[in-house]
Amino acid sequence: MTVERIIEATELTKTFPGGIIALDRFSLTVRRGEVVVVIGPSGSGKSTFLGCLNGLEEIDSGSIVIDGIPLDHHRRNRLLIRQEVGMVFQAFNLFPHMTVRENIDLAQVRVRKKTSAEAAGPTMELLKKVGITEKADRYPNELSGGQQQRVAIARALAMSPKVMLFDEATSALDPEMIGEVLEVMRALAAEGMTMVVVTHEMGFAREAGDRVVFMEAGRIVEEGDTERFFGSPREERTKAFLSQIR
Amino acid sequence: MYGNAAARRTALIDAGKFLLVAGIAVWLLSVGVPGLGYHWQWYRVPRFLFSAQGGVWTAGPLLHGLLVTLEISALSLLCTLALGLTTALFRLSASFTARALARSYLELIRNTPLLIQIFFVYFVLSPVLDIGAFASAVLALSLFEGAYAAEILRAGIVSLHRGQWEAAHSLGLNVVDAYRYVILPQAVRRVLPPLTGQAISLVKDSALVSTIAIYDLTMQGQAIVAETFLAFEIWFTVAAIYLVLTLGLSLAVRAMERKMSGTPLVRIGGLA
């Protein structure tokens, strides 16, 4: 059964200790194959929203359903969803005690229960895809930031996820390395991967995004198809934000 | 930083300083010891280590004691690590019961003297559990050192960046696999130096089990001194054996660290 709406987040609220409201009755639906770009000032709840989608953050109320599976208090559902949702972090979060190959093998072997021989093929395929086959036996700290982030993308893809979440994947990179990571993300979008991308890269949003969501203070200020959103933003707040970021 | 010649000169000066201090210490001893009026009889010591009669070497009481100390230390170390790891995981667990259990154990053990714990295990627990003196010794030592090992391991685990957990979770690894493949390998490497220190403490603390009639190295030393009055010679020898044991342990761990540093420790520490 294919569920057309692969992500259904309804009325999410989340307040951090100290009373900071990260999500305020936030709802968003993502269709299969859609690339949704989430933008907004820092502290607007973008990253918290991504964290909630695979259960890294707990929501206070609301509901999340991913590909028909509700993200509830059942540990099994949570693990199932995490297996179907890949995530790429701002700080890469590669495992520093493992080689590039071992980083990508780990979940295939431990979660998908493949043998290491069965994992080897897909791992090399993925490294080819992100363009760093020659670094397979290096440790993460021997790689540049851009290379590390590409390995992190390959590691997430190794689970063959149905959805990929990108949490400011290029924000920690030196300017000259942003391009190589965006290129991998663009190729992924072109293949039809469902993606939710939190980013400050407006170029990427325009080019690869199907839909843009502008968030502030845990709410959606404005959302719309990419062309319409950038071409004729309706809200004053959106216009102000876009003029600042350019 | 320095040229080769300059480095050599610094090393020479350092060595000189060391020899000077060591020389002063030896001189002080040589001046002071005759004042004791002690009659040194080092020649009587070797027979307590080993004897060679007719080409057959037999271990003396001190070596027998060393063997017991080694056995107790090795067994206790294994139990200490297991107990320490379990307690650390309990303390970090989401379950209130597990956390409370770990907390009570830690507070109880760390706030009472080891000697009392050994007596308690030997005189109170061992009849109940029906275990002998040797098992009591291992149990008491493991309980004591395990509490400290737990805190060391816990520190190592919480020192890791939460991004490591998030990455492990986001890949769909369950808690057990995340600990086993991602968190613990990094945490243990980070705390290997303090963990080694704890192992050394264990070897030294094992001397206290001589109080419950276990003929370890210390107890053998005591027995020999009681018989021969060679207090200085025997206690010096016993101390030297402990020193060799603990230094050996440190060197072994350092070699292990160097072997593991295909992924250099420093770099791992620096990244997260």
Side-chain angles (χ1 to χ4, degrees):
Chain A
M1 184 186 75
T2 7
V3 184
E4 187 53 26
R5 296 168 159 189
I6 195 161
I7 299 176
E8 286 184 277
T10 318
E11 300 271 305
L12 307 185
T13 58
K14 164 117 186 135
T15 311
F16 282 114
I20 301 152
I21 296 167
L23 292 172
D24 184 7
R25 290 191 292 138
F26 180 93
S27 297
L28 186 73
T29 306
V30 179
R31 293 188 308 274
R32 193 178 294 278
E34 198 179 19
V35 176
V36 175
V37 177
V38 184
I39 62 173
S42 45
S44 59
K46 306 174 304 257
S47 296
T48 307
F49 171 59
L50 281 196
C52 290
L53 284 184
N54 65 356
L56 289 181
E57 304 263 10
E58 296 282 345
I59 45 173
D60 298 336
S61 65
S63 80
I64 295 172
V65 179
I66 310 268
D67 203 26
I69 306 169
L71 180 63
D72 48 24
H73 288 292
H74 291 96
R75 207 175 290 173
R76 222 182 99 74
N77 283 349
R78 185 160 297 218
L79 281 177
L80 272 177
I81 283 176
R82 283 173 177 167
Q83 291 169 19
E84 304 309 330
V85 178
M87 188 159 187
V88 177
F89 303 88
Q90 182 175 353
F92 324 139
N93 296 346
L94 290 177
F95 306 133
H97 59 301
M98 298 181 187
T99 62
V100 165
R101 191 196 302 277
E102 290 165 347
N103 264 278
I104 302 174
D105 282 348
L106 180 70
Q108 298 184 70
V109 174
R110 294 300 151 197
V111 183
R112 293 288 188 224
K113 307 292 178 198
K114 296 184 196 173
T115 64
S116 3
E118 286 166 344
T123 295
M124 279 322 274
E125 279 303 309
L126 286 165
L127 282 175
K128 203 179 290 172
K129 188 173 193 163
V130 300
I132 28 180
T133 40
E134 75 282 3
K135 304 282 186 191
D137 294 310
R138 294 299 183 80
Y139 284 93
N141 53 53
E142 299 172 291
L143 271 55
S144 75
Q147 290 170 331
Q148 289 191 46
Q149 193 59 297
R150 284 187 280 150
V151 172
I153 294 174
R155 180 177 69 175
L157 289 175
M159 285 295 290
S160 322
K162 293 177 178 147
V163 179
M164 283 285 282
L165 310 175
F166 291 85
D167 186 9
E168 303 202 24
T170 56
S171 298
L173 293 174
D174 290 336
E176 73 267 25
M177 292 171 185
I178 291 176
E180 64 191 53
V181 172
L182 288 181
E183 201 177 308
V184 171
M185 290 167 63
R186 248 182 244 122
L188 211 54
E191 282 175 19
M193 174 65 80
T194 310
M195 293 163 64
V196 181
V197 183
V198 169
T199 187
H200 295 297
E201 295 292 327
M202 292 305 134
F204 174 84
R206 277 168 195 278
E207 251 182 83
D210 296 316
R211 188 151 53 107
V212 181
V213 174
F214 175 47
M215 265 182 97
E216 184 162 51
R219 294 164 184 256
I220 295 180
V221 176
E222 181 170 357
E223 66 168 301
D225 292 344
T226 307
E227 221 164 294
R228 206 278 302 154
F229 184 92
F230 287 111
S232 50
R234 289 181 190 133
E235 302 288 329
E236 285 306 315
R237 184 66 190 95
T238 316
K239 289 176 193 167
F241 181 75
L242 288 176
S243 68
Q244 274 171 351
I245 209 159
R246 248 175 285 217
Chain B
M1 199 165 144
Y2 296 107
N4 243 348
R8 217 170 297 138
R9 200 174 327 127
T10 319
L12 268 177
I13 292 173
D14 281 344
K17 283 179 190 162
F18 175 79
L19 285 176
L20 187 68
V21 174
I24 291 174
V26 170
W27 176 75
L28 278 176
L29 268 180
S30 63
V31 168
V33 166
L36 283 174
Y38 187 79
H39 178 51
W40 295 89
Q41 303 174 65
W42 279 106
Y43 67 91
R44 290 177 63 190
V45 170
R47 89 172 77 137
F48 297 114
L49 286 167
F50 51 81
S51 52
Q53 278 172 339
V56 184
W57 292 73
T58 8
L62 283 181
L63 284 192
H64 279 299
L66 173 63
L67 195 66
V68 173
T69 291
L70 279 175
E71 277 170 6
I72 287 184
S73 300
L75 270 175
S76 303
L77 186 60
L78 284 180
C79 298
T80 293
L81 291 177
L83 190 60
L85 186 57
T86 313
T87 308
L89 296 183
F90 270 31
R91 264 209 79 179
L92 296 167
S93 142
S95 146
F96 173 78
T97 317
R99 284 202 309 272
L101 216 67
R103 241 350 239 278
S104 332
Y105 161 65
L106 287 175
E107 295 305 334
L108 194 70
I109 294 292
R110 291 193 305 170
N111 292 300
T112 50
L114 172 58
L115 189 60
I116 309 299
Q117 291 171 23
I118 291 176
F119 286 159
F120 179 81
V121 170
Y122 183 57
F123 292 113
V124 180
L125 280 189
S126 81
V128 177
L129 300 174
D130 195 21
I131 53 176
F134 186 87
S136 302
V138 171
L139 182 62
L141 275 176
S142 310
L143 280 173
F144 180 76
E145 308 291 341
Y148 292 89
E151 286 298 86
I152 293 172
L153 285 167
R154 187 183 67 98
I157 292 168
V158 300
S159 78
L160 293 180
H161 195 272
R162 69 187 285 243
Q164 292 293 308
W165 276 108
E166 292 182 340
H169 283 320
S170 77
L171 288 169
L173 290 171
N174 59 33
V175 176
V176 176
D177 280 349
Y179 262 125
R180 182 161 165 206
Y181 299 104
V182 177
I183 303 300
L184 286 180
Q186 298 184 63
V188 168
R189 263 183 242 198
R190 238 179 233 197
V191 297
L192 209 49
L195 223 44
T196 311
Q198 204 56 48
I200 287 170
S201 290
L202 188 153
V203 173
K204 293 184 297 176
D205 291 344
S206 76
L208 281 176
V209 304
S210 58
T211 54
I212 55 170
I214 286 184
Y215 276 77
D216 73 326
L217 183 54
T218 303
M219 187 60 180
Q220 294 285 13
Q222 221 166 337
I224 297 167
V225 170
E227 249 173 57
T228 60
F229 299 107
L230 292 173
F232 279 54
E233 293 88 337
I234 294 298
W235 286 130
F236 269 123
T237 309
V238 167
I241 296 176
Y242 275 113
L243 191 67
V244 168
L245 218 56
T246 52
L247 280 181
L249 197 57
S250 306
L251 288 176
V253 172
R254 209 171 300 167
M256 201 165 87
E257 254 177 62
R258 214 166 292 152
K259 209 171 170 189
M260 284 201 312
S261 62
T263 52
L265 283 172
V266 198
R267 284 193 184 163
I268 283 177
L271 193 94

